[in-house]
Amino acid sequence: MQAKACRRLVTVSVATLLAVTTAAVPAKAASDTGSLHITVTEATGAPAGGAVYIFEPDHSYVTYGELDADGRATLTLPAGSYRAQILPSSASGPGVTDISRAQWWQGKTSFETADPITVTAGATVEITERLFPTGSIEITARDSITGRTIADFCVVDDYWSRHACSQGSGKVVLADLPPGTYRFWVSSEDDTYLNTTVWLTVKANETTTTEVELEPAAKIQTTIVDATTGAPVFAACVALSPAGSGRLPYGANNCSGFTGKVVVLYVPAGSYQLFVRPPTLSTYGAQWVGWRGGTGDPTRARVVRVAPGETVRVPPIRLDPGGSISGVVTSAATGQPVPYAYVSLSAGERPGNEFAVSTNEQGQYRFDRLGPYRWRLFFTADNHARQWSGGTADRRRAEWIGVWAGQTTTYSPALQVGTMLTGRVTDASGAPFKGYVDIYHARTGDRIGEGRSTDGTYRSFVLGPTIVKIRREWGEASSGQNRSNWYDGAGSFEDATPVRIAASGTQTLDMVVDTD
């Protein structure tokens, strides 16, 4: 299902707004001022709460007035032309306004379309405003496995401005929502179920109802200990990687306590491999959790399979002392050091997570706290193709780098520039596409290139010869409005059309993206 655009729901206190909008009414003699009297009602006709903000034609903020119990406010203003914004009260509490319901006199949705208000010296201008009608949502939930009703769960919008819990009733209602389409997060009040999202369209004067299914969350339990003494290790953290992917998430947030015990909560059913990040400032090394100890090779890591709601116990993880890899990254084309390149343990979605380091201005890097095993490194640098150690786009052919406890291994690669993949990219109407063009290795699924289109042109360096698949992504990822598809119009990596990349030079591939 394609995500639809949603409106932000934000509540802001009057005090906060005053703190950031400190302009005051210019000092004028009484004979140069007039009064603006405004009465605001809800769509039902009842008096509205909230505040009225006054702006000059150049968008400059002038002053504000709070609505009283009768929905009225009177403001003294210098003679002139103004526009008025009404911010209704929020259900969050007294003195809090709801920006999502903001509107402009008279019945407008923006400053540009708002009607001007002329204030004359010595006179009072009387205006009224009725707030737009709102709607509500009602959500119930049930267990996706058993089908039973879930009594306790919570609902929150993308921006944490509207939220409520069922409190044992099995139902959550959120009211006073402006008409539009929104995404809501639904979660249990404990660690029993996985979170899920639902898109709902709110209609004026109506209640939109829906039932969601929550999948029982699995857990993974283990203990992290010293490989030699068996003593518990505190603050070592576990990250889960989809089995066979070799990719690491952004961060490892499941950390051991003083007894060495760690519990990974909210695990979806599936197959995983475990990666352990050692405690900060410790002498331990990172590892993929193998069948009989640590390893630097994800293909040799233990596979942990979990079913919905299951608790899986993994044998104690034994941490070995760590070593380091350091060196200087240079360009094969120029022989010069490459500053600010990323050196990472996996080819993630975007470079720069905590399982990576960066070169300095002289191209030098140092990767500490790696377990005493063989590792492969992934390099990301401007104006060079992303590549694995050994100068390959294929993780399976990457060069292994040995690490020994307490020692530093030197590895100084010369990065290949690769082939420049470029072209025009438009939507179906011919307008320039604005978004990302992501390049994935067709066999490993590693992300080995990225181009960004702001004017309908993209460019990415790719290490060829190789075969890739291309994803186009657009929208606002931070608000959940991002969307994507694959070349040429496919809905998945598996169905995407493969593209053969030449060994060098410039290769042109024009694309049309269906963004509807």
Side-chain angles (χ1 to χ4, degrees):
M1 179 182 296
Q2 294 179 337
K4 297 181 179 179
C6 70
R7 295 175 58 184
R8 294 192 176 193
L9 299 177
V10 182
T11 55
V12 179
S13 69
V14 170
T16 299
L17 284 171
L18 288 177
V20 299
T21 53
T22 56
V25 178
K28 294 278 185 177
S31 59
D32 294 330
T33 63
S35 296
L36 172 63
H37 185 85
I38 184 170
T39 302
V40 183
T41 60
E42 294 285 353
T44 60
V52 179
Y53 290 80
I54 305 300
F55 294 83
E56 292 185 330
D58 64 355
H59 291 246
S60 298
Y61 165 76
V62 177
T63 189
Y64 95 107
E66 293 188 53
L67 297 174
D68 62 19
D70 296 320
R72 298 172 180 169
T74 299
L75 301 98
T76 299
L77 298 168
S81 179
Y82 303 95
R83 287 173 172 80
Q85 183 188 44
I86 297 89
L87 270 67
S89 294
S90 166
S92 300
V96 180
T97 56
D98 187 349
I99 292 179
S100 72
R101 294 186 62 200
Q103 63 188 73
W104 296 79
W105 190 81
Q106 185 172 21
K108 301 300 193 302
T109 59
S110 68
F111 176 93
E112 289 72 21
T113 60
D115 294 317
I117 304 167
T118 300
V119 175
T120 304
T124 297
V125 180
E126 294 273 356
I127 63 174
T128 61
E129 181 77 351
R130 176 165 290 202
L131 298 178
F132 299 140
T134 60
S136 304
I137 64 163
E138 179 182 304
I139 297 178
T140 56
R142 63 185 177 91
D143 188 298
S144 65
I145 305 299
T146 67
R148 73 174 183 85
T149 298
I150 300 173
D152 290 297
F153 67 96
C154 299
V155 178
V156 63
D157 70 85
D158 268 345
Y159 300 93
W160 286 85
S161 60
R162 303 289 179 92
H163 54 86
C165 295
S166 60
Q167 298 181 335
S169 69
K171 178 174 65 177
V172 169
V173 176
L174 294 179
D176 291 330
L177 296 170
T181 300
Y182 307 93
R183 184 174 71 165
F184 297 93
W185 292 84
V186 184
S187 62
S188 60
E189 293 195 65
D190 53 23
D191 58 14
T192 305
Y193 292 94
L194 299 175
N195 298 344
T196 191
T197 60
V198 59
W199 289 86
L200 295 176
T201 298
V202 178
K203 298 180 180 179
N205 302 315
E206 293 185 18
T207 297
T208 300
T209 63
T210 192
E211 182 181 65
V212 299
E213 290 188 346
L214 297 182
E215 178 184 328
K219 302 177 185 178
I220 296 176
Q221 296 182 0
T222 189
T223 302
I224 303 177
V225 300
D226 184 288
T228 301
T229 67
V233 176
F234 170 69
C237 303
V238 175
L240 298 186
S241 173
S245 72
R247 291 191 291 275
L248 290 168
Y250 288 100
N253 302 316
N254 307 283
C255 302
S256 58
F258 289 107
T259 63
K261 181 179 179 181
V262 58
V263 180
V264 184
L265 302 174
Y266 302 107
V267 180
S271 297
Y272 301 94
Q273 290 167 308
L274 278 57
F275 183 89
V276 178
R277 184 198 69 198
T280 304
L281 303 180
S282 75
T283 59
Y284 293 108
Q287 66 167 256
W288 287 95
V289 178
W291 294 97
R292 289 186 175 85
T295 177
D297 182 359
T299 65
R300 296 179 178 270
R302 174 190 293 270
V303 176
V304 180
R305 296 178 175 85
V306 295
E310 181 183 15
T311 296
V312 176
R313 290 172 173 82
V314 174
I317 298 170
R318 308 179 71 85
L319 287 191
D320 295 306
S324 304
I325 302 175
S326 68
V328 178
V329 178
T330 60
S331 170
T334 66
Q336 297 300 308
V338 179
Y340 312 119
Y342 285 108
V343 186
S344 54
L345 300 179
S346 73
E349 282 299 290
R350 298 270 194 268
N353 66 23
E354 65 178 290
F355 305 113
V357 296
S358 176
T359 62
N360 61 18
E361 290 183 356
Q362 291 75 43
Q364 300 166 335
Y365 76 96
R366 183 181 178 88
F367 216 131
D368 292 318
R369 297 188 301 141
L370 296 174
Y373 327 115
R374 298 189 308 160
W375 295 88
R376 293 175 291 203
L377 298 181
F378 189 72
F379 296 87
T380 303
D382 289 342
N383 299 316
H384 291 77
R386 297 180 184 181
Q387 55 204 269
W388 287 95
S389 46
T392 177
D394 190 339
R395 172 170 25 108
R396 301 166 303 172
R397 298 180 179 178
E399 180 179 350
W400 290 102
I401 307 165
V403 172
W404 288 266
Q407 299 183 34
T408 299
T409 301
T410 299
Y411 184 77
S412 298
L415 301 186
Q416 303 295 320
V417 172
T419 300
M420 186 174 74
L421 180 65
T422 186
R424 289 286 299 167
V425 54
T426 61
D427 62 21
S429 69
F433 171 82
K434 296 183 179 181
Y436 288 98
V437 176
D438 300 327
I439 318 297
Y440 291 82
H441 193 278
R443 294 292 298 275
T444 66
D446 288 337
R447 192 163 181 229
I448 58 172
E450 174 188 290
R452 187 170 186 178
S453 168
T454 58
D455 60 357
T457 302
Y458 73 96
R459 187 188 76 161
S460 178
F461 289 95
V462 182
L463 193 60
T466 191
I467 299 175
V468 302
K469 294 187 176 183
I470 301 173
R471 186 181 71 169
R472 294 78 60 93
E473 180 182 333
W474 65 98
E476 185 182 345
S478 62
S479 67
Q481 299 180 54
N482 59 312
R483 297 164 56 191
S484 65
N485 61 27
W486 294 81
Y487 179 77
D488 195 11
S492 67
F493 174 86
E494 290 73 18
D495 296 333
T497 301
V499 177
R500 185 177 296 275
I501 303 298
S504 61
T506 299
Q507 185 170 332
T508 301
L509 177 66
D510 296 331
M511 294 183 287
V512 176
V513 182
D514 183 1
T515 57
D516 293 333

